[in-house]
Amino acid sequence: MKNKTLGEFIIDNQNDFPGSTGELSKILSSIRLAAKLVSHETNKAGLAKHILGAAGTENIQGEQQQKLDVYADHQFIEALKAREVVCGIGSEENDDFVSFDEEKCKKGKYVVLMDPLDGSSNIDVKVSIGTIFSVFERCSAIGNPAELKDFLQKGVKQVAAGYVIYGSSTMLVYSTGNGVNGFTFDPSIGVFFLSHPNMKFPSSGSIYSMNEGNLNHCSAEIQDYISFCKGNNTATKKPYTARYIGSLVADFHRNLIKGGIYLYPSTTTAPNGKLRLLYECSPLAFLAEQAGGMAISDKGRVLDIQPEELHQRVPFYIGSKEMVKELEVFLQGGN
Ligand code: P6P
């Protein structure tokens, strides 16, 4: 039996969202289009010199922008602008939020936050990379330009979130608050097909993902937890397995399917950790909870954090609920 396409799935489920007027569907369709374009360029990056390597510019994080970063940022912004239902974008690649000031866009009910190409330092070495996106209803007056407060909303208020992983195949995984579904792209006909319906985090697992090169600069609680992961764990009768790709979307996706936990703690040199709340942690936390998993920071649930600035960083722990709860005991000094 032919699997449902993403387009069919969006239409079939668009009335699940209270007050749905089809605008959220337009956002998801525009993300689908941009994902196809980025997937195409990513998969030929090794051949097309114009798309490889550094763009010679830096983003606000002081990170070298890759040509594909800039390309992906442009494609998602243009696709979202064209649907005239989004009034503005917040992106890792842009210092400030981008307000769409075309009259029809100002009437848009939604704003989108995104990391257009997360893990892009891995492009040149053929490691999976990804796009992460988060959708909110605006809280400023419809008809006016987007305002910063539209973007600084708690993650619990997201109306949709998801990611695209450009790996051995391209997948789009998203939720509008009614569970998580994954769609695999068939490039031969340019269609995403429902391949992973109703995705659920295994309640536990034995994979931990962390850059242990930072361990000596982490808190004693984190160092104790990593020692626990390496020790003889009576329940599993063996130490946990370390898997760290260095591409958040890839590490998250693997843990969502196999079970596991991803950690990016604060360190003495990065007291708020590395990952950005609004377009990395919050959307993945929304997905994790929709899939029965859990996502916390040093001060509790990620989705309850009140953002204070667009590119705010937070310590981030996400994955199988039992594993995150196990870590939480260490963070609270209770081990
Ligand atoms: P580190 C990529 O830059 C990223 O934002 C995530 O995709 C990834 O998990 C993390 O940073 C890798 O950071 O410090 O381990 O290289």
Side-chain angles (χ1 to χ4, degrees):
M1 180 189 75
K2 182 175 79 71
N3 289 4
K4 189 173 284 192
T5 69
L6 175 56
E8 291 163 341
F9 187 90
I10 290 172
I11 290 166
D12 289 352
N13 293 279
Q14 72 178 358
N15 296 322
D16 288 357
F17 184 65
S20 169
T21 54
E23 291 174 300
L24 188 56
S25 301
K26 286 183 180 176
I27 292 174
L28 296 169
S29 298
S30 62
I31 287 170
R32 174 183 57 179
L33 171 62
K36 291 180 184 179
L37 294 167
V38 174
S39 176
H40 179 70
E41 289 301 324
T42 302
N43 286 306
K44 69 177 189 184
L47 296 172
K49 292 301 172 205
H50 73 280
I51 206 73
L52 256 186
T57 51
E58 276 190 359
N59 60 21
I60 189 168
Q61 338 282 342
E63 296 166 344
Q64 271 296 320
Q65 288 180 304
Q66 303 298 312
K67 290 175 187 169
L68 212 47
D69 276 326
V70 176
Y71 173 81
D73 189 52
H74 177 74
Q75 293 307 325
F76 278 95
I77 288 177
E78 290 308 308
L80 287 161
K81 187 190 295 185
R83 299 300 170 101
E84 298 173 338
V85 290
V86 170
C87 63
I89 299 274
S91 166
E92 184 195 47
E93 301 307 328
N94 300 76
D95 298 0
D96 203 350
F97 66 87
V98 176
S99 177
F100 296 161
D101 292 336
E102 291 78 0
E103 280 315 307
K104 283 187 175 178
C105 291
K106 284 197 285 189
K107 295 189 176 74
K109 277 174 38 183
Y110 297 99
V111 294
V112 174
L113 287 135
M114 64 181 180
D115 185 351
L117 207 58
D118 179 75
S120 54
S121 57
N122 292 308
I123 295 171
D124 297 2
V125 295
K126 302 290 172 265
V127 166
S128 299
I129 51 182
T131 298
I132 308 171
F133 63 89
S134 168
V135 185
F136 288 95
E137 284 198 48
R138 70 186 296 179
C139 48
S140 61
I142 289 183
N144 292 348
E147 298 177 27
L148 182 59
K149 67 180 181 182
D150 294 320
F151 301 92
L152 301 185
Q153 299 186 57
K154 287 185 180 181
V156 70
K157 296 185 72 176
Q158 290 174 95
V159 294
Y163 61 86
V164 185
I165 179 166
Y166 311 99
S168 52
S169 64
T170 292
M171 267 192 79
L172 191 153
V173 177
Y174 82 95
S175 172
T176 56
N178 296 298
V180 178
N181 291 281
F183 301 81
T184 299
F185 185 54
D186 180 341
S188 67
I189 53 175
V191 176
F192 281 96
F193 286 103
L194 179 62
S195 54
H196 296 67
N198 194 27
M199 297 179 84
K200 290 293 180 193
F201 254 113
S203 58
S204 194
S206 59
I207 292 173
Y208 73 98
S209 310
M210 177 183 165
N211 180 346
E212 292 190 53
N214 298 327
L215 192 56
N216 292 341
H217 306 288
C218 291
S219 67
E221 291 77 8
I222 291 294
Q223 294 188 33
D224 289 348
Y225 173 71
I226 297 299
S227 297
F228 163 79
C229 292
K230 294 177 174 181
N232 285 321
N233 179 320
T234 48
T236 63
K237 296 183 177 49
K238 69 183 181 71
Y240 286 171
T241 298
R243 289 286 184 275
Y244 190 70
I245 300 171
S247 190
L248 172 59
V249 170
D251 280 314
F252 177 85
H253 186 72
R254 182 210 48 245
N255 291 348
L256 172 57
I257 290 173
K258 292 180 175 252
I261 184 170
Y262 171 99
L263 305 88
Y264 210 107
S266 58
T267 65
T268 48
T269 50
N272 294 315
K274 173 180 184 182
L275 299 181
R276 276 59 56 136
L277 172 61
L278 284 173
Y279 41 80
E280 290 174 322
C281 304
S282 183
L284 293 184
F286 182 82
L287 286 176
E289 291 196 4
Q290 283 291 315
M294 188 171 172
I296 61 172
S297 186
D298 284 355
K299 298 183 177 65
R301 187 185 181 218
V302 168
L303 294 185
D304 289 337
I305 297 174
Q306 174 54 56
E308 291 164 6
E309 54 185 44
L310 201 57
H311 300 287
Q312 174 177 349
R313 299 171 193 265
V314 292
F316 188 48
Y317 315 102
I318 187 168
S320 296
K321 182 173 281 190
E322 294 313 312
M323 296 184 81
V324 176
K325 282 183 174 178
E326 197 172 56
L327 167 65
E328 204 168 33
V329 172
F330 283 82
L331 292 177
Q332 291 162 356
N335 67 308

